[in-house]
Amino acid sequence: TKMPIKDVSDITKVPRPPYYPRYSELTPEQRGVYWKLLSNPYNPEIDIGFVFILYYGLERHLFSGNYEKAFDIIIKLRDVHKNPSFQNYSAHALILTSLKKQRADLILKFIQSIDHDFEANFSNDLFLLCKYGLNLPLSAKDLMRLAKTMGFEKNNYIKKYPDLFEEILSKNILNKYNDK
């Protein structure tokens, strides 16, 4: 808190933080950008390096703090920050937290939060482990996501007609497994 901070009007002119950023290694201008991020962490214009500094603290809360609040904040951050590494790391942390805490409600919240393609950037294996570990069924949308992992080689129908494919697949799943 005693490190100098310089207020900057144009955040785009401040160099991005180094790889594996740390607050203590930021310049006064970069610390100014970080403090702007803290006032609005859902600003997609802020460089992802600054978001990662915030994320590291939230990740710590997932495992030894107020994990529910951190979980919700990370979900909101994932909705606006498209960076593939951030999406991957944060998805894995949310899934592992749900498994560790045995909280099916949290994994459902996470799954329901995925409303952009970029948010689905995480391991299919971990996704399957999570569903299995929490005894959750696979939906038609899940199977579509896992099509290649499951050996489905022709994805033309999924790509060209996703809504129709999901509707028909859902009906087939219901017809086959509803009574079992």
Side-chain angles (χ1 to χ4, degrees):
T1 58
K2 294 180 182 182
M3 299 179 96
I5 298 168
K6 185 172 182 181
D7 191 22
V8 290
S9 56
D10 186 359
I11 62 172
T12 62
K13 294 192 178 177
V14 175
R16 64 176 296 146
Y19 194 65
Y20 288 117
R22 291 187 202 166
Y23 184 79
S24 62
E25 295 176 357
L26 298 180
T27 66
E29 292 82 8
Q30 289 171 323
R31 283 192 288 276
V33 173
Y34 181 72
W35 280 85
K36 283 186 186 284
L37 166 75
L38 292 179
S39 70
N40 179 13
Y42 311 112
N43 176 356
E45 302 301 316
I46 301 258
D47 184 89
I48 197 66
F50 298 105
V51 177
F52 265 107
I53 295 171
L54 173 61
Y55 171 71
Y56 297 149
L58 292 169
E59 192 175 53
R60 181 178 222 150
H61 275 279
L62 288 177
F63 295 101
S64 62
N66 188 342
Y67 72 91
E68 290 181 14
K69 192 169 187 177
F71 196 98
D72 290 341
I73 293 169
I74 293 170
I75 283 177
K76 289 178 187 174
L77 289 170
R78 287 175 46 78
D79 201 45
V80 294
H81 297 288
K82 299 178 181 182
N83 179 273
S85 292
F86 175 72
Q87 289 294 322
N88 192 349
Y89 294 143
S90 61
H92 289 180
L94 294 177
I95 291 169
L96 291 171
T97 299
S98 300
L99 287 171
K100 180 180 183 232
K101 306 290 185 185
Q102 286 295 294
R103 294 281 306 271
D105 62 315
L106 290 179
I107 196 59
L108 289 173
K109 182 187 283 191
F110 167 67
I111 291 168
Q112 291 168 349
S113 77
I114 300 171
D115 58 355
H116 303 290
D117 288 341
F118 65 84
E119 292 174 299
N121 180 22
F122 58 94
S123 164
N124 286 339
D125 294 337
L126 193 55
F127 180 74
L128 280 171
L129 175 66
C130 185
K131 287 282 202 159
Y132 178 77
L134 296 172
N135 200 27
L136 298 171
L138 291 173
S139 68
K141 193 174 240 25
D142 295 337
L143 292 173
M144 290 168 61
R145 171 201 162 98
L146 300 167
K148 284 192 176 184
T149 301
M150 299 291 192
F152 192 77
E153 294 177 14
K154 296 184 180 182
N155 291 324
N156 292 342
Y157 297 115
I158 294 173
K159 288 179 184 174
K160 290 181 182 176
Y161 313 104
D163 294 335
L164 180 60
F165 192 93
E166 182 180 359
E167 178 184 334
I168 293 169
L169 183 56
S170 293
K171 286 178 185 176
N172 286 334
I173 290 170
L174 278 174
N175 288 338
K176 183 159 183 149
Y177 298 105
N178 196 29
D179 295 330
K180 297 178 181 176

